[in-house]
Amino acid sequence: MSITKIRKAVFPVAGFGTRFLPATKAMPKELLPIVDKPLIQYAVEEAIAAGIDTLIFVTGRNKRAIEDHFDNNQELEMALRVKGKHAQADMIKNILPPGVECIFVRQPEQLGLGHAVLCAERVVSGDPFAVLLADDFLTFDGAGVTQDLVSGFDRTGKTQLSVIEVSGPNISKYGVIVPGAQPGSVVAGLVEKPSPQGAPSNLASIGRYILTPDIFDILRNQPAGAGGEIQLADAINVQAARGEVEAVRLNGRRFDCGSVEGYLDAIMHVADRRRSPRT
């Protein structure tokens, strides 16, 4: 079986970031810094490390700053070099390595994560692709979380989900895995935000995916789900019923930077590692 390599990644970045107002009134939440680097750049670097060279940002109003961040800024680079700050100039010049392309697609209305992914269909152009949610700040061992999913896809050609164990009432905040009949990575279903009592397992899907292009046909014909939105989890559930989905346990730590508490925890984690780097 010939399997297409994963070369494209979708970054849904159209959200308002209301939990971080007033900081996000004029600045995208994805540009909130974890110490000295914005959230979205961590996710982009993770994707590039997995061999991805086409970055598709699904944006909304007031998100132009994300495009500016990944664009060249020759005036700033020149000003730094004139002052002899060559290391800093190299840093901003090399935010994206050569050969990596950014494409920006507008989501005209926020109708859910599934709808945001659907907005990228024309650019994805029939290829399997990754989805990375910048709100999920991940630390990891090895090549990276997205690389782990790419490796799983390379073996089987199936949709891949990154999952973590969640205990207690917090399970209702996630898409929750319905385990397959056989132990291992096979997923029988995915339930979006179940009640704690009705959760089919304690394995929660987080913001890293490898998706096959048939997901677009499912999303296009899918009714609104939880919250009146087009839910990506509902579309993946359809794939899972066909035996086309696998789960990969997160090899690292996750910080939910969609919440202020999780964002602060991520900053403290990175700051501690900077102060006491591992040898």
Side-chain angles (χ1 to χ4, degrees):
M1 178 177 61
S2 177
I3 296 176
T4 303
K5 292 291 185 182
I6 304 297
R7 304 299 296 271
K8 299 174 181 178
V10 173
F11 301 85
V13 293
F16 291 126
T18 54
R19 294 180 183 178
F20 290 89
L21 287 171
T24 51
K25 179 177 181 290
M27 180 179 71
K29 65 175 180 177
E30 294 82 9
L31 291 181
L32 291 172
I34 302 293
V35 184
D36 57 358
K37 189 186 300 184
L39 275 168
I40 188 64
Q41 189 173 332
Y42 285 98
V44 162
E45 290 175 355
E46 180 188 323
I48 293 171
I52 289 166
D53 59 15
T54 303
L55 312 176
I56 304 163
F57 298 87
V58 181
T59 71
R61 289 180 59 82
N62 301 321
K63 297 286 183 165
R64 181 60 186 269
I66 295 175
E67 185 174 351
D68 291 341
H69 178 74
F70 290 106
D71 198 1
N72 290 331
N73 188 332
Q74 294 181 345
E75 294 85 356
L76 175 58
E77 181 185 344
M78 185 178 299
L80 290 169
R81 294 198 189 282
V82 166
K83 295 180 180 180
K85 298 180 179 181
H86 297 291
Q88 290 173 301
D90 290 341
M91 181 190 305
I92 65 165
K93 182 178 181 179
N94 297 321
I95 284 178
L96 290 180
V100 174
E101 179 183 12
C102 293
I103 300 172
F104 294 85
V105 177
R106 179 68 68 93
Q107 183 183 16
E109 187 177 1
Q110 292 184 34
L111 298 176
L113 177 57
H115 180 260
V117 170
L118 186 57
C119 289
E121 179 181 13
R122 186 170 296 181
V123 184
V124 169
S125 187
D127 294 326
F129 62 103
V131 175
L132 294 90
L133 307 186
D135 282 357
D136 277 350
F137 177 76
L138 306 179
T139 65
F140 45 81
D141 297 317
V145 179
T146 298
Q147 178 58 61
D148 289 345
L149 297 179
V150 168
S151 297
F153 177 81
D154 288 344
R155 287 191 296 270
T156 67
K158 295 182 178 182
T159 284
Q160 305 287 318
L161 308 180
S162 184
V163 299
I164 59 173
E165 290 189 9
V166 176
S167 300
N170 283 336
I171 194 71
S172 62
K173 299 177 181 178
Y174 299 86
V176 181
I177 297 298
V178 180
Q182 300 296 324
S185 62
V186 176
V187 174
L190 188 63
V191 180
E192 179 69 5
K193 298 180 179 177
S195 67
Q197 298 77 20
S201 74
N202 67 342
L203 292 177
S205 173
I206 61 169
R208 299 292 187 276
Y209 313 81
I210 300 294
L211 300 175
T212 51
D214 61 297
I215 198 77
F216 293 120
D217 286 334
I218 301 170
L219 287 167
R220 193 179 301 106
N221 297 293
Q222 180 178 294
E229 297 181 333
I230 305 299
Q231 297 291 348
L232 180 61
D234 293 342
I236 294 173
N237 183 57
V238 173
Q239 291 183 321
R242 303 171 182 166
E244 299 170 353
V245 179
E246 295 176 336
V248 178
R249 295 203 182 217
L250 174 67
N251 181 25
R253 289 187 62 184
R254 170 187 179 262
F255 298 88
D256 176 12
C257 289
S259 71
V260 174
E261 181 180 355
Y263 174 66
L264 293 175
D265 287 343
I267 291 173
M268 290 188 287
H269 175 80
V270 172
D272 287 344
R273 294 186 67 171
R274 293 281 184 90
R275 284 192 288 259
S276 303
R278 292 182 294 180
T279 58

